[in-house]
Amino acid sequence: MITRFLIQGMDKRGLVFLCLIAAIAVLVPLANLLLPPGSLFHVPTSTMSLWGKYLCYALLAISLDLVWGYCGILSLGHGAFFALGGYAMGMYLMRQIGSRGTYGNPILPDFMVFLNWSELPWYWYGFSSFPFAMLMVLAVPGLLAFVFGWFAFRSRVTGVYLSIITQALTYALLLAFFRNDMGFGGNNGLTDFKDILGFNVQAQTTRAALFAMTCIMLIAGFLIARGIVVSKLGKVVIAIRDAESRTRFLGYRVDRFKLFVFTVSACMAGVAGALYVPQVGIINPSEFAPANSIETVIWVAVGGRGTLVGAALGAVVVNYAKTVFTSGFMAPYWLFALGALFVLVTLFMPKGILGTAQDWWSKRRKPEPVATAEPAPAE
Amino acid sequence: MTRLLRMIALILAVALSAGAARAQSADEAFTRLGADSFSDTNRAIELLIAGAHPQAAVIIEALAEGRLLAGGGAVVVKTKDGKLLDARTGAALASEPPGLNPVRLNNGVRRNIQAALGGLGLLNPDTAKRIAAAEAVFKSRDVSLLPVIETAISRETDTRAKAALRQAQAAILIAKTDAPPFDRLAAVDVLRERGDQDALATLRSLPGDASPALKDAQARAVADIEGKLALWRTVQNLWYGLSLGSVLLLAAIGLAITFGVMGVINMAHGEMVMLGAYTTFIVQEVIRARFPGLFDYSLAIALPLAFLVAGLVGIAIERGVIRFLYGRPLETLLATWGISLILQQAVRTAFGPTNREVGAPNFMSGAFELGGLAITWNRLWIIVFAALVFAALLAILKLTPIGLQMRAVTQNRRMASAMGIRTGRVDALTFGLGSGVAGLAGVALSQIDNVSPNLGQSYIIDSFMVVVFGGVGNLWGTLVGALTLGIANKLLEPYAGAVLGKIALLVFIILFIQKRPRGLFALKGRAVEA
Amino acid sequence: MSTALMSTSTPTLTSSLLYLDGVSVSFDGFKAIRGLSLVIAPGEMRAIIGPNGAGKTTMMDIITGKTRPDAGTVMFGGSVDLTRLDEAAIANLGIGRKFQKPTVFDFHTIEDNILLALKSKRTVRRTLFWKTANADQKRIDHILGVIKLGDARARLAGSLSHGQKQWLEIGMLLAQDPKLLLVDEPAAGMTDGETAETAVLLKEIARDHSVIVVEHDMGFIRELGVKVTVLHEGSVLAEGPLDQVSANERVVEVYLGR
Amino acid sequence: AAQETIKVGILHSLSGTMAISETTLKDVMLMLIEEQNKKGGVLGKKLEAVVVDPASNWPLFAEKARELIAKDKVSAVFGCWTSVSRKSVLPVFKELNSVLFYPVQYEGEESERNVFYTGAAPNQQAIPAVDYLAKEEKVQRWVLAGTDYVYPRTTNKILEAYLKSKGVPAEDIMINYTPFGHSDWQTIVSDIKKFGSAGKKTAVVSTINGDANVPFYKELGNQGIKATDIPVVAFSVGEEELAGIDTKPLLGHLAAWNYFQSVKTPENEAFIKQWKAYKKSDKAVTNDPMEAHVIGFAMWVKAVEKAKSTDPDKVIDALPGIEAPNLTGGISKMLPNHHITKPVLIGEIKADGQFDVVSKTGLVAGDAWSKELDGSKDLVGDWVEKKCGNFNVKTGKCGGA
Amino acid sequence: MLSVDAIDLHYGAAQALRRVSVAAEIGKVTCVMGRNGVGKTTLMRAIVGHQAISSGRISFSGEDISKLRSEDRARAGIAYVPQGREVFPLLSVKENLETGYAPLKRRDRYVPDELFDLFPVLKSMLGRRGGDLSGGQQQQLAIARALVTRPKLLVLDEPTEGIQPSVIKDIGRAIDYLRQKGDMAIVLVEQYFDFARDLADTMFVMDRGEVVLSGQMKDLDANQVQRLIQV
Ligand SMILES: Nc1ncnc2c1ncn2[C@@H]1O[C@H](COP(=O)(O)OP(=O)(O)OP(=O)(O)O)[C@@H](O)[C@H]1O
Ligand SMILES: Nc1ncnc2c1ncn2[C@@H]1O[C@H](COP(=O)(O)OP(=O)(O)OP(=O)(O)O)[C@@H](O)[C@H]1O
Ligand SMILES: [Mg+2]
Ligand SMILES: [Mg+2]
């Protein structure tokens, strides 16, 4: 049943995407590890970790597309789930440092030592165990999304109201995590990681493995998201997006459907965050910044809302553009370029890169009447 | 005038130099003034006063204003109109001696000067100065000034000045263990009457050896004042809340138009506010450079200009981008985010990344007391201004044909055009109005916040919260939302601290929206779903 | 009230499928429904007519849980209090509705619109692992045939004309296979021929379902040939066979016109 | 000719919230490099600046650092402002073994092999400032107001311990934290006013960061708190921040730094002239972190010349002991703990937005590890003898690793 | 007055109108009939300017208006009562009516009393929001709103849909009254044959995007028309 669920109605686009990521997952680490640095096909470690980061963002974008593109929930707080997953992973990595921290305290992380904490807060317990930490990577964002969604969807908070309270959520978490008293390292966050599962996080092989893992998770996330959207549940969810109350009159418990999708999506975002942290080496409260979540929305819009593959594409394109623009002669003016990119995409590619390409493609093949109506706006 | 000052100095000399050696030579004072050391300068002031130097008042005043120059053994007073006088003699100098530098001040020296001038001021003919001087003594509680105060009280005719002097006297007496018990009891009453934070502090400083009766009186007075102060503190917090609310209102009200009425998720709203603030900066720059006399009117001049600048930029954005996006509100988020990045960077490129100085005109500087309430003028004006903007906007939207057309267009653009409404123009005007109002907010915010390229970013989230909390599309909701959030924030802050207070407020918003999923002033009924 | 032809049989709760008694609702002080009582027996088809603004749609809103009444009883199947349930629960009890203004899922194909309405378990798990069985597909095809949109099955519903959407709504109602159908102005925007067809269709449905139809088209009502309730200003003005009510002075005055 | 250059990375935010502070540091580095090239470069090669914009985004800092080192192959990087940006690039510098010069005052508690700290450690700023206030202003009551992040937290911890050790009772210390970018200071300023009216002389020690300062000072001015009543000494407010405020009401409030533009030394005057010419603006101001870069850059040049190589290992070994003139008339020296010696200056705000130096100490050696904190009082950083950043003198062992 | 000459119209790639020609005269009621989805509404949209035509020509009072924007057509005197009413949901009834002031001169900006004679319900509901009205009330509001602009051409798309019989008669009388007044042309889309037959002077019958039958009502064979609009 599960496999059927995962591969049902796979289309060409999805297949291409899957093959591509699978190929990257195998080839890039190999090219990094086996080929000599001089070789034409050698992938430098820095490039690999950069792309590892992009792919984490891609997973985050897919998770957002699932709720926004298909269910119409414009979450302006998805960064929070990403960051929570990241913190769960960060806590594990912190505990792995053991007594190798600067103060040599076997239990307390450095930031606690120099702020005179005497014992480990209870919520840090258990994070020295990898399975527990991984469970938390899923459970913490998932639970938060569940509780938050349970209230919000039951109260029928929709549209911008929902968007803004998700923003309030991430903003509140931002402020809370900034507080040093919370015990998560305040502004500096968690950093200076040493090992993951006994392997040095900095080591080239570990990086390669993390990269491959990111690809695998991206594939898994994509398959799950796809499985959901092509199933009948996916149709219900789209119906909810376009005419929520009508769906209710058909007997669907709209709140449960939304809650399900929202929670799954939050878990996916959490996994993305967890993979992100060991690759960039730091997790800090600025990941909770509302602007980050808005940016995630923008990746999805750029790539093409409601297309999954497009969301991933958007994340990679925008972040790649950022990487390119922030170096070289463009550096002082890169915001012009990025801003212009956003404006131009909206004006000339209203359905995002993928949506526009798809239209163009289908127009060339078989003309089909297109509805001019738009999905019910979120006000 | 000079004779009067000399006389005061004499009286002071008697008062201050009880134990000091009288026969210090004035020379030492002048040497010390040239030594470029704060402790020497302090000592020199003491010496000048103790020695009742005829030029003391002039020198000290010059020192306070940075007009006292010293160097190469000479000490020179520069008069306000730029003439040079020999400090010792007061004689005019023909040429400037070489190597002169202003005698430097630090807070210690400044305090000494203040005390000296304060002592000098107790008998100043200007009532305001006398009151200020009495206040200074109240704070310093300098026992040695008691006789001067008493002389002053006996001569005083102005009731307010007399009260101030009495309070100063009381402050000294409280701590003076050898004063007659009856006088000290009376002093407690005077302080109780005064009833502010300073009185409380003074009362608390009652020495431990006081008589039981005195202690009892003091305890009652303290309790009395504390009760009163607690009440005032609540009022004060409400006032702060009102003031924060008005700032939020100003920041959000433009958004209530572009987002609330038009449905454009306008992420560039903050940048419109920023443009308003920068317009103020430019206006002030021009005024500083060309028409310094107009400085007090700079904000009045900036207001229409900021409205125009932000409004025109808004219209340009609407015509250039937004108009292609109607019916696709989510895309407006993407485009306006892009625009906001561009505007930020444009301002950064044009004006540099650092803060720009926007000064406060005189009528907006300082504070006044209203009962136990300290009210700063700038906050008061901002509240008034916010109220005016709100009323004007409400009138435009509800009472004018263009307001009606704005609402019609945003509810059903196609049908509005079929009614003959020029939708394009209305859209541009509406967006321009919202942006222009944001520009106005920028003028006000430049008075209390940074004028930097990041200005807008710091308000955008709060603005959205306010509009949504109040209920999208309802101007009254925005008003009540802003005030509620402002006041709640300020009432929470003393207990929870700024950070936790803000978190609590955000959680409150989240919970509140569960109760009222369409904001405070939610529209209800069929019409909304249609 | 004039000499209204009140229903003679006293309504009984247990024998009825739908039972409304003393229902009132007001909006901002305006009383849209006042003391409305209505009983539908199992298997009954009832036509409801009445002036614009009489409260017909509002009554359906109350039954389907969209609007909560200020006062009164609304019972279904003799024991279920509808005022305590939400829309989805009421729909799952077997009450289906066609809206006055056709509302379909614009971004789904016509076929998917029907599929979504198709009677089935509405839980998250069931829909997630749903597989369209042969029987289901047959039923969808059948319904598409009935509403004459079989050729257009793959088109997005958003691109349909007004009248086609009306048909699609009827199709969705059929797919739901509810115990009670609430049909708000099914013939609006249809040609005379289609109106007649709709009447035939409804009569067929009414053989094993209870139906409440609201319509302003007297020809159509006559075609149905069932008991008619006339609403006026939120309460029942008259009830009985069409000929009887249309002879009623008040009904002519407020509704039919001369 | 491409091989003939030595590349120097500049890692300062040019956009986002930190651009306000960091952009000038980029400019000053470009100027220094240009100047050095006029003098013939280093080791006979020209220097080439590589500028990137990490956009006030911490993960981007790490990414850009990696790019500079791995892709552009820079010999050294000058950059970062906030602690967290430093923390986020640290692993990269360690992994790829390169050199970072960090020019900003910070909370200490760090000594890394690959990082050279040219800004002040807490003992080079906070403690002398408090000493000054206690001695010169006779302050007895203290408000420690800061933005809620690591630098203020640590600094305040250190100060609290220090003040208590000097006999200040707990009720005379008020500690207050506000979020980043806090803009409504009404309540806090009135609290400070209240705290200060208890009869004892009160001062505020401000570790308020960045943008929040302007509204804070504006509110102080409006509520009429004068420096003669309650002086404020700030550790993060320099000439640049003051450029955005009307300073008249702030006359006499203080700042503690290792450099002020108003210091009258020939070195400084030359530097200011050069800077104004470079910026083509007579209003251009200089500040402390700029001086730190000047010192750091000079030290790096000397070290490279001493090592006759830009190889990071050689440069790192060569740096301790290197001396370079600072702009306030002394010679700063790189210490084995990778911090430098600096004088501490206390300045009062003048009406023109400059500072009047009211106190100056001799050269103070930067402590990587604070003596006031329990966790770190036994630690020393010594990369010359012990080859260790956190050597515990009690146990005789090197921590970590 | 109005003449539509051989227009084509496409929705995306699908053609909705094929060489449709229709004409309407002042003081006359021109009726368009046809089954569901044959393009009646589309034709009306083309006339009021909500949908761009791909070829052909629409002229009004002798001028080519095919390229004009919808608001300019309204200003030229075309008023529209759309299918589905499209009243402004959040504006009060009064404000809904006042939106019709836009093309008027200042002195004409009032709601003529005769409107309230035609639709008395509206008078009692001036303060209620348009979206709260019942379907039939909204329909009446939509017609009244169109008349506020004092149009020269009134385009009505299925105005009787969802209206109670007595009001249908009223609307019929109103249309008749407007025709009698002789200062406007009326284009009426209708499905309800009896109603159309009573009112129409000229009749156009459409099928699949084309006009398949047209002529003076009195010349047409009612059975033929009915056959065309049957299934
Ligand atoms: N949310 C609301 N707020 C205010 N008035 C309302 C609201 N909903 C309905 N009404 C009013 O209640 C009355 C009943 O409306 P309803 O839609 O039920 O009428 P109806 O019988 O369906 O009429 P029609 O035949 O025209 O569809 C109308 O006068 C309408 O204006
Ligand atoms: N927005 C649209 N996009 C694509 N196709 C459309 C659109 N609107 C209408 N159509 C199609 O154009 C054709 C004509 O539609 P139109 O609305 O003009 O029909 P109509 O004659 O008014 O029908 P009805 O009597 O049902 O109102 C229909 O086949 C319809 O499906
Ligand atoms: Mg109805
Ligand atoms: Mg139609």
Side-chain angles (χ1 to χ4, degrees), chain D residues 200 269 332:
Chain D
K200 288 185 188 165
E269 265 152 31
S332 289

Side-chain angles (χ1 to χ4, degrees), chain E residues 131-203:
Chain E
D132 286 343
L133 298 186
S134 81
Q137 292 162 343
Q138 288 184 5
Q139 186 70 52
Q140 300 178 38
L141 174 59
I143 301 174
R145 180 181 63 179
L147 291 176
V148 171
T149 62
R150 324 287 143 78
K152 296 204 211 76
L153 171 67
L154 180 64
V155 178
L156 298 150
D157 198 348
E158 307 202 17
T160 60
E161 188 187 312
I163 301 270
Q164 67 184 81
S166 64
V167 180
I168 291 182
K169 288 175 194 155
D170 290 343
I171 291 176
R173 268 175 242 152
I175 293 174
D176 195 38
Y177 164 79
L178 294 170
R179 166 175 49 196
Q180 299 296 330
K181 259 176 64 176
D183 56 2
M184 71 176 79
I186 296 169
V187 174
L188 173 70
V189 172
E190 193 44 73
Q191 302 256 27
Y192 182 23
F193 183 71
D194 294 341
F195 183 78
R197 186 187 47 208
D198 292 347
L199 282 173
D201 297 299
T202 327
M203 171 75 81

Side-chain angles (χ1 to χ4, degrees), chain A residues 52-53 56-57 82-94 137 190-193 196 201 207 210 214 270-284 287, chain D residues 59 62 91:
Chain A
K53 190 170 101 172
C56 291
Y57 286 149
F82 180 80
L84 284 173
Y87 265 95
M89 179 58 115
M91 286 162 81
Y92 163 75
L93 293 171
M94 281 315 265
V137 162
L190 310 177
T191 176
D192 210 12
F193 308 131
I196 178 165
V201 265
R207 288 188 170 280
L210 280 169
T214 310
V271 171
L275 286 163
Y276 171 87
V277 168
Q279 295 188 72
V280 301
I282 185 169
I283 175 76
N284 122 315
E287 298 298 338

Side-chain angles (χ1 to χ4, degrees), chain B residues 526, chain C residues 27 32 52-58 100 216, chain E residues 128 132 134 136-137:
Chain B
R526 272 189 188 167
Chain C
F27 304 103
N52 293 129
K56 304 181 292 295
T57 302
T58 309
Q100 181 165 7
H216 290 296
Chain E
R128 197 172 301 180
D132 286 343
S134 81
Q137 292 162 343

Side-chain angles (χ1 to χ4, degrees), chain A residues 257-292:
Chain A
F257 284 82
K258 284 184 168 177
L259 190 56
F260 171 75
V261 175
F262 194 60
T263 309
V264 168
S265 160
C267 291
M268 268 164 72
V271 171
L275 286 163
Y276 171 87
V277 168
Q279 295 188 72
V280 301
I282 185 169
I283 175 76
N284 122 315
S286 64
E287 298 298 338
F288 286 106
N292 279 22

Side-chain angles (χ1 to χ4, degrees), chain B residues 277-515:
Chain B
Y278 271 91
T279 310
T280 320
F281 164 70
I282 295 175
V283 167
Q284 288 202 348
E285 282 296 278
V286 172
I287 286 183
R288 279 204 186 99
R290 302 271 174 79
F291 320 99
L294 288 179
F295 191 77
D296 268 353
Y297 303 97
S298 60
L299 293 192
I301 298 168
L303 278 178
L305 287 175
F307 184 83
L308 274 183
V309 169
L312 288 177
V313 172
I315 289 177
I317 293 174
E318 200 279 336
R319 287 291 85 184
V321 179
I322 310 277
R323 77 169 152 138
F324 303 108
L325 306 178
Y326 290 118
R328 314 198 317 230
L330 293 171
E331 260 113 281
T332 60
L333 171 112
L334 175 58
T336 51
W337 181 259
I339 291 170
S340 100
L341 294 184
I342 293 175
L343 284 176
Q344 260 178 58
Q345 191 61 22
V347 167
R348 198 172 279 132
T349 311
F351 296 93
T354 49
N355 290 330
R356 290 288 151 173
E357 180 189 339
V358 172
N362 277 326
F363 68 91
M364 283 187 79
S365 310
F368 65 96
E369 302 253 329
L370 196 85
L373 204 61
I375 294 177
T376 51
W377 280 108
N378 67 346
R379 297 283 175 173
L380 182 64
W381 279 113
I382 287 175
I383 291 177
V384 171
F385 181 63
L388 287 179
V389 171
F390 178 78
L393 219 50
L394 199 64
I396 291 180
L397 233 51
K398 290 278 170 198
L399 302 179
T400 64
I402 183 81
L404 177 65
Q405 295 186 354
M406 281 175 188
R407 288 181 291 146
V409 167
T410 44
Q411 279 170 41
N412 188 337
R413 178 161 283 96
R414 270 207 324 203
M415 197 55 225
S417 85
M419 298 307 299
I421 296 172
R422 294 199 186 282
T423 50
R425 187 189 295 174
V426 171
D427 281 328
L429 281 180
T430 316
F431 202 83
L433 177 69
S435 303
V437 169
L440 293 180
V443 179
L445 293 185
S446 73
Q447 288 300 307
I448 52 172
D449 208 340
N450 296 293
V451 179
S452 80
N454 301 331
L455 170 67
Q457 290 294 299
S458 44
Y459 285 97
I460 185 79
I461 292 178
D462 285 342
S463 300
F464 271 101
M465 298 276 169
V466 165
V467 173
V468 163
F469 177 73
V472 176
N474 187 315
L475 232 45
W476 285 105
T478 306
L479 174 75
V480 178
L483 294 186
T484 315
L485 293 188
I487 291 174
N489 194 340
K490 283 296 159 185
L491 290 184
L492 277 174
E493 198 177 314
Y495 306 104
V499 185
L500 277 184
K502 187 130 199 200
I503 295 176
L505 205 63
L506 289 167
V507 173
F508 165 73
I509 292 180
I510 294 176
L511 294 179
F512 181 86
I513 292 293
Q514 316 294 330
K515 267 262 147 268

Side-chain angles (χ1 to χ4, degrees), chain B residues 40 46 54 235 445 461 530:
Chain B
D40 283 315
E46 263 172 46
V235 178
L445 293 185
I461 292 178

Side-chain angles (χ1 to χ4, degrees), chain A residues 372, chain C residues 155 159 161 163-164, chain E residues 11 36-42 83 191:
Chain A
T372 50
Chain C
R155 270 176 64 184
S159 70
S161 81
Q164 290 166 324
Chain E
Y11 287 114
N36 287 140
V38 296
K40 303 180 294 296
T41 299
T42 306
Q83 187 167 25
Q191 302 256 27

